[in-house]
């Protein structure tokens, strides 16, 4: 199905993508019918900047220890930081802890199903609120992550890559692509995301295996190469992020306060190490104590 300008329409993509998803979706614990909204929420916090393979063990351990928001809410935030292990971007652990406390205080311990109430929780932005409302409660929302942006950019607008940063136009395109009825929209949200994760990948899309190859605007245009600004991969070695990770690893492994000289042994560059430690303190991930000692937040 093409629109008046000859471009493929979103409606033409729904049925083939949904059929493909039914046959090819990965079996993931947060997608199980009985997973519950808290499990979906935990998975969404963890998956934002971390691949599924690294998330799975941390997710299982997290829900084993804190099966409900209240179980996490009564713990010190440092325990959330400790359990975050090496998932990276550990401020997410603090935000998830704060969200659990807000869920207990405002919603009696149950993750709310209302989109505005979700959006009002600490650490829950537009994407996460839409993802929880859609994946956990079957509502109709545009759930726009990197994978969805890429699929829609290629299939509907015919470009090789979406813009480097998300834009309001991405959101509008995703809203316009939603199926009209709520249950189908919720399935489309997860199915289009899975297609981006497994088939329409960033570097080498597997168009030969794609259920919408005959309708994809980018393929129909002859698969023109990317001609936008250079896209740089993130480096980690030698960065302040790596230094922060080393310092946090020492603190996670300790049961109590750690002397500064123990932290000093974890990173050779004193200037970078002190900058990283100051940053961790400023972010609330590390608590300074007297006599030059540090610990995870209590
Ligand atoms: S045909 Fe290729 S570019 Fe188009 S949506 Fe499928 S995998 Fe992506």
């Amino acid at each position: 199905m093409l629109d008046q300008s000859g471009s493929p329409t979103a409606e033409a993509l729904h049925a083939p993508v949904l059929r493909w998803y039914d046959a090819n979706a990965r079996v993931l614990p947060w997608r199980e019918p009985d997973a519950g909204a808290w499990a979906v929420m935990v998975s969404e916090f963890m998956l934002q900047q971390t691949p599924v393979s690294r998330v799975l063990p941390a997710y299982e351990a997290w829900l084993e220890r804190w099966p409900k928001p209240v179980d996490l809410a009564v713990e010190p935030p440092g325990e959330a930081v400790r359990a975050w292990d090496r998932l990276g971007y550990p401020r997410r652990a603090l935000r998830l802890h704060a969200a659990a406390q807000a869920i207990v205080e405002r919603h009696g311990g149950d993750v709310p199903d209302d989109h505005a109430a979700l959006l009002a929780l600490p650490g829950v932005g537009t994407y996460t609120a839409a993802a929880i409302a859609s994946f956990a409660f079957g509502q109709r929302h545009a759930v726009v992550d990197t994978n969805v942006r890429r699929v829609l950019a290629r299939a509907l607008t015919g470009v090789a890559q979406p813009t480097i940063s998300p834009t309001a136009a991405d959101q509008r395109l995703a809203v316009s692509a939603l199926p009209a009825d709520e249950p189908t929209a919720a399935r489309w949200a997860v199915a289009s995301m899975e297609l981006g994760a497994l088939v329409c990948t960033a570097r080498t899309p597997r168009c030969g295996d794609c259920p919408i190859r005959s309708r994809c605007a980018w393929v129909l245009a002859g698969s023109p190469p990317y001609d936008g600004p250079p896209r740089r991969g993130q480096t980690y070695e030698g960065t302040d992020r790596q230094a922060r990770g080393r310092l946090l690893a020492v603190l996670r492994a300790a049961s109590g306060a750690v002397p500064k000289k123990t932290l000093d042994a974890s990173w050779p560059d004193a200037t970078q190490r002190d900058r990283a430690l100051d940053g961790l303190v400023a972010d609330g991930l590390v608590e300074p104590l007297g006599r030059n000692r540090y610990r995870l937040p209590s």
Side-chain angles (χ1 to χ4, degrees), residues 28-41:
L28 296 170
W30 46 86
R31 289 185 184 157
E32 295 298 318
D34 60 352
W38 173 238
V40 171
M41 185 167 174

Side-chain angles (χ1 to χ4, degrees), residues 7-293:
S7 300
T9 63
E11 296 81 59
L13 311 181
H14 294 157
V17 170
L18 293 175
R19 273 197 304 275
W20 171 86
Y21 180 74
D22 288 343
N24 296 283
R26 289 168 292 181
V27 175
L28 296 170
W30 46 86
R31 289 185 184 157
E32 295 298 318
D34 60 352
W38 173 238
V40 171
M41 185 167 174
V42 171
S43 74
E44 285 302 329
F45 269 73
M46 290 184 170
L47 288 164
Q48 273 165 30
Q49 283 157 306
T50 310
V52 165
S53 57
R54 280 175 55 207
V55 163
L56 277 168
Y59 164 91
E60 301 280 9
W62 191 280
L63 285 176
E64 175 86 23
R65 182 170 175 187
W66 299 309
K68 294 181 190 159
V70 67
D71 302 318
L72 175 60
V74 297
E75 294 258 20
E79 286 308 297
V81 176
R82 194 189 305 280
W84 202 253
D85 199 25
R86 285 175 297 168
L87 290 178
Y89 300 100
R91 275 179 287 183
R92 293 179 292 169
L94 286 184
R95 292 185 189 129
L96 186 51
H97 181 270
Q101 289 186 322
I103 288 168
V104 172
E105 286 161 16
R106 299 175 203 167
H107 305 289
D110 293 323
V111 177
D113 62 2
D114 177 69
H115 182 264
L118 285 165
L119 204 48
L121 294 173
V124 175
T126 307
Y127 165 80
T128 310
I132 298 168
S134 177
F135 302 159
F137 298 111
Q139 296 173 12
R140 183 177 183 274
H141 294 282
V143 186
V144 191
D145 77 341
T146 311
N147 288 321
V148 170
R149 289 176 66 232
R150 189 170 56 251
V151 169
L152 297 183
R154 287 173 178 163
L156 292 175
T157 64
V159 296
Q161 297 287 350
T163 51
I164 292 173
S165 302
T167 65
D170 296 334
Q171 190 71 22
R172 285 196 297 274
L173 184 66
V175 170
S176 72
L178 277 177
D181 76 277
E182 197 162 54
T184 311
R187 285 182 60 232
W188 162 258
V190 69
S192 53
M193 192 175 290
E194 189 77 336
L195 187 70
L198 299 184
V199 177
C200 193
T201 53
R203 292 201 181 155
T204 48
R206 296 191 292 112
C207 301
D209 297 328
C210 182
I212 53 174
R213 60 188 172 278
S214 64
R215 302 168 170 88
C216 173
W218 185 63
V219 169
L220 292 173
S223 306
Y226 175 69
D227 63 357
R231 308 171 84 90
R232 294 189 184 86
Q234 286 185 327
T235 52
Y236 183 66
E237 285 299 313
T239 61
D240 282 13
R241 269 190 66 218
Q242 190 182 25
R244 284 164 62 103
R246 292 266 183 89
L247 293 167
L248 269 186
V250 173
L251 290 158
R252 279 195 186 101
S255 53
V258 173
K260 173 81 164 42
K261 65 177 188 313
T262 305
L263 292 173
D264 287 349
S266 68
W267 191 260
D269 180 330
T271 305
Q272 193 177 29
R273 185 177 65 229
D274 290 346
R275 186 168 65 231
L277 185 57
D278 288 347
L280 289 169
V281 171
D283 289 344
L285 288 159
V286 171
E287 211 170 79
L289 301 171
R291 291 187 288 134
N292 238 357
R293 293 171 308 139

